[in-house]
Amino acid sequence: MSDHTTPAVPAIVQCTFCLCPNITTADDLEALCKNCGLDLSRLGVSSTAPTPETDGTVFSRGPDDTVNGAQAIATLFADETSPDCVVDAPPLETTSTAGASAKPKPTPTSTSTRRSPIHPWVIAGAFAVLIVGAIIATWVLLSTPPSVASAGAAPKQATPITLEGWNATPAWALDATAEETAESADGATLLVTTRDDASIVDTTTGDLLATQELGGDTSARAYWAGDTALVVDGDTLHLWSAENSTDANESGDTESDQAGWATTKLGDATVSLRGDAILAVAEVGAKYELIHADTTRDAVTVPTEGAVPVAASGDTITWGTNKGVAYVTARDGSDSRDTVLAAPTDAASVSRWISGDSKHVYVVWSDGDTDTVAVHSLESGDAVSTLPLTADREAAATSTRDGAHVAYAGVLIDATTGAITETSHDIDGTVGEQFVTTDPLTLVNPAGEATPLAGDSVTLVAMSPDGDLVVSTGDTIASLTPASADAGARTP
């Protein structure tokens, strides 16, 4: 019997609290974790690291975070009937300077298979770690901003729009289910109303300049008067102008998306537009107020009882009466002068005041069943031009955005010269300085020459200062550039 005593075989035991691997022996009764000081003697050893006879250099892999980490957490929450969780030592790589074959010695079995109770401070520490982690995770989630597309992300590809004479790929496109639209006098901006809001859009770039929330209870009406956009939303009037927008941005007292908008209540009054004048009408022929872009109002004096505003241009308002007399006043109704219009026959009377400009007034004379359209000089009252009217005299009049031309009941009126031209086209609206018919879709110039626009079903809503055509498809507003230099050329 040999007196040689087999030395204790070392084993790697992973600390269940800090997960640090420790080398210990089975008979080490007071082994402590070298990292956190946890008593390791309570952990049983089911396997040990082989100890080959080498030059004493031993290399080992660190603990596997996936396996050992999960086992450590399982140990912290194991009940007394759960099997002991023992971390197996990873395989060891050895080196030998003498080249002798390694002779591993017998592996002793664990001296303890009963799990020792977990110290209360270990459990408390684990719960503390979990609570702190949960607080940090919650803070990260709550402080993370909403997902926003990267500034360098590619823009959404616009759907091609086929329209004869225009490039199919839009220069820009906006998602908008437009209920009504109106373009400014210079075509640089477009007013778009939906059920929920009104927006001002730059027709060259497609940029959204300002937005106003609407009530949504009624269908809002969109108009443009001079350099002021207005939306009639029930008994509420919203107004926007570039000047108001600049003032609001400079003062900093208005949010950027609503810059330039002003709101006022109409009460029992209605809105009447005459040229670039916005009038609040409390009583037709009697009580009028001029509304400015900042919602301030000025009372307007009626030049004579029963007179109604027909047109507004520059600093004047033109009024009409049922006696065939026109009045021209200042914007506040002062400085009135009257002009008697020359009737085409002795029995004729004015049955319709159409519109007017700074030099003319346009009316319909009726004599029995005969109707005549006439343009009269505001200086002399003489008729500059006349034309028999064959269409319904109750038809609506529409003017180009600059007010230079007016279409009414099958005739086109040149506001500059007062000339009247008959047209066979049923004018439904205007875009830019041209008129529009919708069936079939056609552009009609002030001389009556037409350009068909075959292609997709769209609504023409604006013409940018650069000559790009802005259209609505129903759910999208897009800008189309001319396909050639003569795109949109007018043909008889």
Side-chain angles (χ1 to χ4, degrees), residues 82-335:
S82 300
D84 290 344
C85 178
V86 180
V87 181
D88 292 334
L92 301 179
E93 299 177 2
T94 63
T95 60
S96 173
T97 56
S101 60
K103 296 180 181 179
K105 298 182 179 180
T107 302
T109 59
S110 174
T111 58
S112 173
T113 58
R114 185 180 63 85
R115 179 181 170 194
S116 301
I118 299 176
H119 291 293
W121 67 265
V122 175
I123 298 176
F127 274 109
V129 170
L130 291 175
I131 292 173
V132 172
I135 293 174
I136 294 175
T138 302
W139 177 83
V140 170
L141 290 174
L142 293 178
S143 62
T144 301
S147 177
V148 179
S150 170
K156 179 183 178 180
Q157 184 67 35
T159 302
I161 299 173
T162 301
L163 206 61
E164 184 179 353
W166 303 86
N167 290 314
T169 301
W172 55 262
L174 294 175
D175 291 334
T177 305
E179 291 195 352
E180 287 205 9
T181 61
E183 63 176 325
S184 61
D186 59 2
T189 46
L190 175 68
L191 169 61
V192 180
T193 64
T194 65
R195 189 71 176 177
D196 300 319
D197 53 45
S199 302
I200 305 295
V201 179
D202 186 310
T203 58
T204 299
T205 63
D207 292 339
L208 192 64
L209 303 181
T211 300
Q212 173 64 52
E213 185 177 351
L214 301 179
D217 297 331
T218 59
S219 181
R221 305 302 302 273
Y223 305 96
W224 211 286
D227 60 359
T228 302
L230 61 152
V231 179
V232 181
D233 185 19
D235 66 346
T236 302
L237 178 64
H238 303 287
L239 303 108
W240 180 91
S241 72
E243 183 178 355
N244 284 353
S245 179
T246 300
D247 293 342
N249 286 330
E250 289 178 351
S251 64
D253 59 359
T254 303
E255 295 183 7
S256 59
D257 62 340
Q258 293 185 334
W261 286 102
T263 299
T264 184
K265 288 292 185 179
L266 292 172
D268 295 331
T270 59
V271 172
S272 178
L273 301 182
R274 294 295 182 265
D276 60 356
I278 305 171
L279 297 168
V281 184
E283 183 180 346
V284 176
K287 296 181 180 179
Y288 296 88
E289 287 182 320
L290 189 65
I291 304 177
H292 301 282
D294 60 358
T295 70
T296 57
R297 303 188 188 191
D298 294 328
V300 180
T301 302
V302 178
T304 186
E305 185 179 358
V308 295
V310 175
S313 179
D315 296 328
T316 64
I317 297 177
T318 300
W319 305 75
T321 68
N322 57 4
K323 298 178 181 179
V325 179
Y327 293 82
V328 178
T329 69
R331 286 292 177 112
D332 61 359
S334 62
D335 300 326

Side-chain angles (χ1 to χ4, degrees), residues 16 67-79 82-83 85 115 118:
T16 58
V67 177
N68 294 340
Q71 290 175 337
I73 295 296
T75 301
L76 288 174
F77 290 95
D79 58 29
S82 300
C85 178
R115 179 181 170 194
I118 299 176

Side-chain angles (χ1 to χ4, degrees), residues 10-37:
I12 295 178
V13 178
Q14 187 171 23
C15 176
T16 58
F17 180 72
C18 68
L19 305 184
C20 178
N22 294 267
I23 299 178
T24 184
T25 59
D27 57 354
D28 190 351
L29 301 180
E30 296 182 355
L32 301 178
C33 175
K34 65 182 180 180
N35 183 56
C36 66

Side-chain angles (χ1 to χ4, degrees), residues 344-345 348-352 354 363-374 386-394 408-409 411:
T345 64
S349 61
V350 175
S351 59
R352 174 73 186 270
I354 302 171
V363 302
V364 176
W365 291 95
S366 296
D367 183 0
D369 295 333
T370 302
D371 293 327
T372 303
V373 178
T386 62
L387 189 73
L389 180 65
T390 58
D392 183 7
R393 67 169 180 250
E394 299 303 322
Y408 165 75
V411 301

